[in-house]
Amino acid sequence: MMENAQLIGLSQQMALRRRMDVIANNIANLQTSGFRGESVVFEEYQMAKAEMNAPSRADSIISYVVDRASYRDHSAGTMRQTGSPLDVAIGGQGFFTVETPDGPAYTRDGGFQIDANGQLVTAAGYPVMSEGGPITFAADESGITFSADGTVSSSAGEKGRLAIVTVDDVSLLKAQGDNVFAAGDAVAQPAEDPRLMQGVLEGSNVSGVTQMTDMVSVNRTYQSIAKIIERTDELRRSTLSTLSRNS
């Protein structure tokens, strides 16, 4: 029984460490434009005690906790005015398409830049894709604008229309890092009626207060379990010592 108690405690500590990692990552991205908060899904795993006879009572089942999976909250973040002509936000559903070393990916982060080659890129340096490919500006171009339908223009005229897509199931998107997602098993298709806003950025959808509260709760629970395991170990050693003296 004491070994079972320790194993159950250790399984919960492992799950809590995973949850703490997720919370820490959410907090680290509180100011990341378009970031989607992550949560962990746990599952109960039941196993009978190692006995000769099959368990006949409900309390003969040992219950462990298993880190089953994680999921992203894809609800929209708060929009804020920046005034920067290269900041763009999508109103409603949809993702910007970018090109990564692993292929096309999608992001809600519209904090764009122009790199040394004149290409429109993300903060991580990924080219932002139009329906015809990357968008490049000459050194003497000015007056860059993004219309509501995604058309990009400058003093040289229209440069293309941003490839804005929607996906059939956002839960199937796979996070790749750098605030972008691969399609995974999701099916991406061109957005029918995108609504872009220039000079605006979508903030992270993570609540700092909620995450800090969760962090404190996880830390306290972890410490409580550690004390229970320590006391169980002390009891086991005391029992073994008593048995050895009486043998």
Side-chain angles (χ1 to χ4, degrees):
M1 285 298 295
M2 285 183 284
E3 287 77 5
N4 289 334
Q6 287 181 314
L7 289 173
I8 291 170
L10 287 171
S11 76
Q12 187 168 3
Q13 281 187 319
M14 292 173 64
L16 288 170
R17 287 186 63 181
R18 166 62 178 151
R19 188 180 177 195
M20 184 65 83
D21 289 342
V22 170
I23 292 172
N25 184 60
N26 286 341
I27 292 175
N29 285 282
L30 280 173
Q31 303 301 320
T32 301
S33 299
F35 180 78
R36 295 305 191 233
E38 186 179 12
S39 298
V40 184
V41 178
F42 298 107
E43 183 178 59
E44 181 185 26
Y45 175 71
Q46 295 183 340
M47 186 179 71
K49 291 191 295 184
E51 296 179 350
M52 292 180 63
N53 299 321
S56 58
R57 307 188 317 273
D59 60 0
S60 295
I61 301 296
I62 300 174
S63 178
Y64 296 89
V65 61
V66 179
D67 174 10
R68 179 65 175 176
S70 61
Y71 70 93
R72 295 273 176 179
D73 173 13
H74 281 276
S75 60
T78 303
M79 302 292 179
R80 60 183 177 87
Q81 296 279 345
T82 67
S84 172
L86 295 181
D87 287 344
V88 189
I90 300 174
Q93 298 182 347
F95 294 87
F96 300 107
T97 304
V98 300
E99 187 66 28
T100 74
D102 297 319
Y106 309 105
T107 184
R108 292 280 296 190
D109 185 356
F112 301 144
Q113 303 173 6
I114 297 177
D115 67 10
N117 298 317
Q119 270 195 344
L120 186 68
V121 298
T122 67
Y126 299 139
V128 180
M129 304 302 289
S130 73
E131 294 172 346
I135 297 177
T136 303
F137 300 96
D140 60 350
E141 290 184 51
S142 60
I144 298 173
T145 60
F146 296 83
S147 64
D149 69 352
T151 300
V152 185
S153 303
S154 73
S155 57
E158 289 190 5
K159 308 294 294 185
R161 184 179 177 185
L162 293 179
I164 309 298
V165 303
T166 57
V167 296
D168 61 337
D169 188 348
V170 292
S171 67
L172 298 177
L173 293 173
K174 303 295 183 182
Q176 285 188 254
D178 294 324
N179 208 17
V180 302
F181 298 91
D185 294 326
V187 177
Q189 57 187 5
E192 294 183 0
D193 185 24
R195 294 182 291 109
L196 270 64
M197 297 171 283
Q198 186 173 13
V200 178
L201 279 180
E202 178 185 2
S204 167
N205 68 353
V206 173
S207 167
V209 173
T210 299
Q211 295 300 310
M212 291 301 296
T213 301
D214 288 347
M215 177 176 283
V216 171
S217 176
V218 169
N219 186 54
R220 288 177 177 172
T221 303
Y222 190 95
Q223 291 177 348
S224 297
I225 295 171
K227 290 179 181 178
I228 293 174
I229 292 175
E230 182 180 358
R231 290 171 184 170
T232 302
D233 187 56
E234 290 175 355
L235 178 60
R236 181 178 61 83
R237 285 188 275 110
S238 176
T239 301
L240 290 174
S241 177
T242 300
L243 289 173
S244 65
R245 288 197 303 268
N246 295 334
S247 59

